[in-house]
Amino acid sequence: MALSRLLIPHSLDPEIGRRIAVDLKADRAPVSDHIDALLKLAHDRHATVVEDFFPFASDEAKAAALRIISAWYLGVVDDAPGAKIVAYELALMFKPTSDVMTIPTYSISRPNGWGAAAAPLSAMPTF
Amino acid sequence: MTQEESADIVVVGTGVVGCLIAEQLLDAGHSVLMLEAGPRVERWQIVEKYRNLPPITTTNLDAAYPPTRWAPFLDSTSPLTAVDYLQLEGPNARAYRQDYVRYAGGSTWHWAGICWRLTPEDMRLKSLYGVGRDWAFDYATLEPYYTRVEQALGVCGPSEPELQWPPIRSKPYPMGRLPFGPGEQKFTDAAARLGLKNLPAAQARNSGVSYDGRPPCCGNNSCIPICPIGAKYDAASSLPRIEAKGGKILVNAVVYRVETGAANQVQAVHYFDPDKQSHRVTGKLFVIACNGIETPKLLLMSADTRNPRGVANSSDQVGRNMMDQPKLVAELTLAEPAWTGVGPVQGSSIMQTSQGDFRSEHAGALFRFNNMARSRLGAIQALKTGLVGKALDAEIRRLSACTAELTIEHELLPDPNNRLTLSDKKDALGIPKPNIYYDVGAYIRKSAEIYSTPLVKQLAHEMGATDVKVTTEFTNSDHIMGGLIMGTDPADSVVDVDCRAHDHPNLFLPGGGAMTTAGCGNSTLTMAALALKAADAMVAQLTHA
């Protein structure tokens, strides 16, 4: 979770983090080898956000970091048919558009409550 | 052989066609038994399955409906499973990968809910344009049934005649139109600048109010593959009502034979249960309504000494004239956000482009904005770029909002060479898989070349697209039509004007298979109208018996 919080500038659900950790350990390309290196790099660079240290990581460590980030966003460690997901409504992929778009099967509107007004791209929701 | 079941009317299939007929016959005081090849599930189970799919799978319409071993259908889970059931051949084999489900409630579980009518011209292609066939009756004959279906399903639509398609109606829609989201409005405005009218679709989705015990649409944007609240009509919602009226529904009952007797009357159907135990069901009237692929398949499998080419097939037209609306898709990148995905997954179309004297030369087409939310697609694409932090979020937002999809659906002519036959490959119960030869033909290829593709590019640019990619391989629209074609001449058609088999006075084959021409619009409303027309004929036939 410590590394996830450095990689992703949003509030993260610990239970989903636990599920991601379990699935990552069981995955064909474990990321555990790179976690300590990424944490050390972040510490050495006094990083508070991902932009502070990610560009300086090795290619292998970057790949591991992107797998962790991808799992939080997509709600699944390995996005392939038949894969078991770790999150749906809390998957971060829905958050950057949550002011406009519903999570399919959920609703942010009411009967005939939506309209044609287009929100600006710049109005990024906080999450 | 186990104990026999019997009813006045035996209905094979529990989709919209079978359910409308069952209910009307029950209301008229007759006993009804329905047979469904697949399982019966609850809405929440499908919703839960859908929410648990990995994002990459959610664009497969049928992923939330895994086929059972005994009632297989096309399974898009992987390239291998996608070719396992339907055996497709011909120049456009890929374009007949029809998505349907063999579940109680049928494919209305995952239909878009769009309810276009045919136009008078769509029903007179031969006499007006010298192509295809003419229907055995005119639009005025069909219109009262359209109106009844709109009431039965709960179809919403615009009250202004200039926004209706076609504006020839005896009654208003039971509910007013649904609003547009930003994307459909942007598409509408772009079309208007080109002199085209994007019409609010007639759709079986409750608009602003409850209808028939179902709630109003709240824009959950998962109509395909499942409306989580039942605001969209699906036949599954009528199953409990059918049972309350005394109808009996047997699920996991795979009908494999239609049995004929003296005077070529149908006297029974036979079904396998999942353990391949055979059961016989008798009745007075029989309805086979298992969709335009499974019904011809069953008739061909039922060949006997009286009907050596298959039941209802003295014309040799069963399984021929297979139709759909071959689809092409334009992928757009836009400078400004369109925000695809606000409201239902489909809600409008340009229909006027389906009509015109050009139909003597090439197909017409409808154009629509696909309103299925793109947040997951945006995230998948953005993550591939290796971005992190704020840049990743911004890219997800941009890709979700500033990409869009326009769909073209073409009118296919009935062609006897587009033919369903029985494959020598068998399913788990030993039942032959359907084999379909499919060629969209020169009529559509010419349309794509000189008409529809150029026009979709114009529409895309008018919407402010900075990049447009139009597919060239036709794909399926899942509107299965033609394989039981209707006509007045038993020598070149399968069913009469009431969807009664020419060869068997007590066998009805209503639905998309009976449609003589396809038009460009979604087929369900016409299928359902033919179902009610058949139901009237059945009630009259039983009354006079």
Side-chain angles (χ1 to χ4, degrees):
Chain A
M1 280 304 289
L3 180 59
S4 287
R5 288 201 180 93
L6 279 165
L7 289 171
I8 299 163
H10 303 298
S11 72
L12 302 176
D13 182 293
E15 173 57 21
I16 294 172
R18 192 191 60 76
R19 291 181 208 155
I20 290 173
V22 169
D23 285 4
L24 277 172
K25 267 183 202 149
D27 202 48
R28 53 186 160 72
V31 299
S32 50
D33 297 353
H34 303 286
I35 290 177
D36 288 346
L38 283 162
L39 282 171
K40 181 170 185 311
L41 178 65
H43 180 263
D44 291 350
R45 299 195 71 88
H46 309 292
T48 55
V49 291
V50 62
E51 287 88 347
D52 292 342
F53 72 101
F54 180 82
F56 307 100
S58 68
D59 287 350
E60 294 78 13
K62 272 184 184 162
L66 289 172
R67 285 177 59 72
I68 295 169
I69 293 168
S70 175
W72 280 101
Y73 274 79
L74 298 183
V76 66
V77 165
D78 189 8
D79 189 20
K84 183 172 71 68
I85 66 163
V86 296
Y88 179 66
E89 72 273 24
L90 295 178
L92 297 179
M93 63 184 166
F94 296 119
K95 301 290 187 185
T97 56
S98 64
D99 55 328
V100 182
M101 293 160 73
T102 189
I103 300 168
T105 71
Y106 289 78
S107 176
I108 57 170
S109 190
R110 60 184 190 282
N112 290 5
W114 58 93
L121 280 183
S122 56
M124 179 67 74
T126 304
F127 57 101
Chain B
M1 197 73 75
T2 53
Q3 189 187 345
E4 286 191 359
E5 297 264 3
S6 188
D8 292 341
I9 297 99
V10 177
V11 181
V12 185
T14 57
V16 56
V17 168
C19 284
L20 285 171
I21 291 172
E23 199 157 356
Q24 184 166 331
L25 272 290
L26 285 164
D27 288 343
H30 302 289
S31 61
V32 173
L33 173 63
M34 304 187 81
L35 297 166
E36 167 56 50
R40 187 166 175 178
V41 297
E42 298 297 327
R43 187 176 309 277
W44 68 265
Q45 293 174 292
I46 301 170
V47 173
E48 186 169 288
K49 209 158 249 156
Y50 173 72
R51 288 176 176 171
N52 277 283
L53 292 171
I56 198 167
T57 317
T58 47
T59 50
N60 289 344
L61 306 185
D62 53 8
Y65 304 85
T68 58
R69 182 180 50 79
W70 54 91
F73 49 88
L74 190 145
D75 176 358
S76 307
T77 306
S78 74
L80 266 183
T81 59
V83 297
D84 182 61
Y85 182 60
L86 292 183
Q87 305 299 302
L88 302 173
E89 58 175 319
N92 298 101
R94 171 62 188 85
Y96 223 76
R97 280 196 191 171
Q98 305 293 3
D99 277 306
Y100 58 91
V101 295
R102 296 174 79 184
Y103 272 45
S107 300
T108 47
W109 270 120
H110 70 30
W111 72 316
I114 302 300
C115 285
W116 296 118
R117 295 178 172 203
L118 294 172
T119 68
E121 293 78 13
D122 292 341
M123 299 175 72
R124 300 182 60 220
L125 290 185
K126 189 72 178 173
S127 42
L128 291 175
Y129 310 111
V131 297
R133 294 189 182 206
D134 283 352
W135 281 62
F137 48 74
D138 61 7
Y139 178 86
T141 306
L142 196 55
E143 202 283 334
Y145 297 101
Y146 274 147
T147 299
R148 275 170 56 187
V149 174
E150 287 165 355
Q151 301 289 325
L153 270 53
V155 174
C156 71
S159 53
E160 308 91 320
E162 64 272 20
L163 295 179
Q164 296 171 342
W165 187 264
I168 311 165
R169 311 177 46 82
S170 57
K171 279 188 184 167
Y173 292 107
M175 287 169 278
R177 61 167 286 191
L178 286 157
F180 283 162
E184 288 193 297
Q185 189 59 51
K186 199 176 180 78
F187 181 63
T188 305
D189 295 343
R193 289 193 292 273
L194 295 175
L196 298 169
K197 201 180 275 185
N198 185 46
L199 302 173
Q203 44 194 307
R205 220 181 312 278
N206 294 344
S207 168
V209 293
S210 298
Y211 189 89
D212 203 22
R214 295 179 290 108
C217 175
C218 290
N220 304 59
N221 199 255
S222 62
C223 330
I224 303 174
I226 179 71
C227 177
I229 60 173
K232 179 191 75 177
Y233 167 88
D234 53 53
S237 64
S238 61
L239 297 175
R241 200 167 55 221
I242 287 169
E243 289 174 316
K245 290 178 178 183
K248 184 167 182 184
I249 302 166
L250 289 180
V251 297
N252 303 315
V254 186
V255 175
Y256 67 93
R257 183 184 160 207
V258 179
E259 177 192 325
T260 64
N264 223 5
Q265 293 258 353
V266 171
Q267 55 190 25
V269 293
H270 298 251
Y271 73 86
F272 287 135
D273 62 27
D275 297 324
K276 211 179 173 181
Q277 294 298 303
S278 187
H279 307 258
R280 185 171 183 263
V281 177
T282 59
K284 294 175 185 165
L285 300 184
F286 292 82
V287 179
I288 315 290
C290 327
N291 87 34
I293 287 176
E294 296 299 325
T295 300
K297 183 190 91 174
L298 174 59
L299 298 175
L300 294 175
M301 283 168 58
S302 301
D304 56 25
T305 50
R306 270 178 294 270
N307 306 280
R309 288 199 284 211
V311 164
N313 197 24
S314 65
S315 64
D316 193 33
Q317 294 298 302
V318 169
R320 293 187 183 270
N321 307 297
M322 299 298 287
M323 293 186 282
D324 184 22
Q325 280 108 11
K327 186 160 82 178
L328 294 176
V329 172
E331 295 285 347
L332 279 56
T333 304
L334 300 158
E336 297 296 324
W339 289 117
T340 298
V342 176
V345 301
Q346 286 182 30
S348 63
S349 288
I350 300 171
M351 299 301 288
Q352 69 197 88
T353 45
S354 67
Q355 309 290 303
D357 289 340
F358 62 76
R359 292 165 99 179
S360 61
E361 303 292 328
H362 64 76
L366 74 69
F367 299 81
R368 63 177 170 81
F369 182 88
N370 187 352
N371 200 38
M372 203 174 279
R374 301 176 71 83
S375 37
R376 279 170 294 198
L377 295 174
I380 290 170
Q381 283 304 112
L383 285 162
K384 284 180 186 163
T385 64
L387 292 171
V388 297
K390 287 182 178 168
L392 173 63
D393 293 335
E395 185 63 355
I396 291 174
R397 189 168 167 90
R398 185 190 73 80
L399 285 170
S400 305
C402 298
T403 60
E405 193 177 273
L406 304 181
T407 298
I408 314 167
E409 297 187 33
H410 300 84
E411 177 174 39
L412 183 73
L413 298 175
D415 174 357
N417 294 315
N418 283 331
R419 185 181 186 195
L420 180 149
T421 53
L422 301 177
S423 170
D424 53 9
K425 293 185 179 163
K426 305 278 172 58
D427 69 18
L429 290 179
I431 293 172
K433 296 177 179 179
N435 188 96
I436 299 163
Y437 174 91
Y438 192 53
D439 178 2
V440 303
Y443 189 70
I444 281 185
R445 277 191 275 275
K446 184 172 179 185
S447 176
E449 186 186 335
I450 68 166
Y451 182 64
S452 64
T453 302
L455 186 48
V456 86
K457 286 180 180 170
Q458 272 184 280
L459 285 161
H461 289 301
E462 199 60 45
M463 287 182 75
T466 54
D467 184 53
V468 187
K469 290 186 179 66
V470 187
T471 56
T472 53
E473 180 169 31
F474 293 98
T475 53
N476 46 298
S477 289
D478 307 328
H479 305 148
I480 309 164
M481 297 168 279
L484 309 158
I485 202 158
M486 178 189 288
T488 50
D489 184 355
D492 72 358
S493 60
V494 179
V495 297
D496 70 10
V497 295
D498 293 318
C499 295
R500 184 189 293 103
H502 288 305
D503 298 350
H504 311 279
N506 67 336
L507 176 64
F508 289 80
L509 306 169
M515 288 174 67
T516 310
T517 60
C520 285
N522 312 48
S523 55
T524 300
L525 195 79
T526 304
M527 292 164 54
L530 294 179
L532 291 187
K533 192 169 188 303
D536 282 2
M538 282 182 244
V539 171
Q541 194 161 322
L542 286 170
T543 305
H544 297 136

